[in-house]
């Protein structure tokens, strides 16, 4: 799976001002809905929040991979957001999170969903990629770091 196939400039935001877990998930849901007529922000938020109730998607090192399944989605999409300052997200290492790589997948894609998560997690484990994302001052620079 190629990350370039699921990311786009219109679903990437740099240095968003945010102060809570719920608010960052609302921002992610709004970005997703704004750029996809088949979904609405309330449905996206509900899916993301349901997943978070099962356990935090904060994987450590200031990174979170919120994700959810949606019935009306045709293909996997990613929403990438960095926030300033980093926020408490109940991450595994208990450190605040400033990089959010959210994935929305079609409801019926179970195996593909796990492969996509693994690919993204692998990419975000690269220290140079993370440094470049944190240095980014524009959405373009975030995408350049990832792709």
């Amino acid at each position: 799976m190629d990350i370039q196939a699921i990311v786009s400039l219109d679903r990437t935001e740099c240095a968003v001002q945010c102060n809570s877990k719920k608010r960052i998930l609302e921002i992610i849901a709004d970005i997703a809905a704004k750029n996809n007529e088949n979904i609405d922000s309330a449905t996206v938020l509900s899916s993301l929040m349901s997943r978070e109730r099962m356990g935090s998607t904060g994987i450590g090192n200031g990174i979170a991979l919120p994700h959810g399944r949606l019935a009306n989605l045709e293909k996997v999409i990613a929403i990438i957001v960095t926030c300033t300052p980093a926020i408490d997200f109940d991450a595994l290492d208990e450190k605040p999170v400033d990089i959010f790589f959210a994935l929305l997948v079609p409801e019926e894609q179970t195996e593909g969903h796990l492969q996509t998560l693994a690919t993204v997690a692998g990419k975000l484990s690269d220290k140079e990629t993370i440094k470049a994302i944190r240095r980014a001052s524009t959405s373009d620079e975030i995408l350049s770091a990832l792709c």
Side-chain angles (χ1 to χ4, degrees), residues 64-84:
L65 295 175
H67 52 280
R69 292 191 164 105
L70 298 175
N72 295 330
L73 201 60
E74 294 174 14
K75 64 178 186 158
V76 176
I77 62 170
I79 300 93
I80 301 118
V81 178
T82 60
C83 71
T84 305

Side-chain angles (χ1 to χ4, degrees), residues 102-122:
L103 288 171
L104 300 175
V105 298
E107 200 167 51
E108 69 282 351
Q109 277 191 15
T110 302
E111 184 62 32
H113 174 59
L114 296 175
Q115 290 172 346
T116 303
L117 272 174
T119 299
V120 170

Side-chain angles (χ1 to χ4, degrees), residues 35-47:
N35 297 298
N36 191 323
E37 62 190 34
N38 296 331
I39 56 176
D40 65 274
S41 61
T43 302
V44 174
L45 180 60
S46 176
S47 180

Side-chain angles (χ1 to χ4, degrees), residues 39-57:
I39 56 176
D40 65 274
S41 61
T43 302
V44 174
L45 180 60
S46 176
S47 180
L48 295 174
M49 295 290 285
S50 291
R51 173 55 189 86
E52 288 301 317
R53 281 191 287 279
M54 293 173 21
S56 178
T57 57

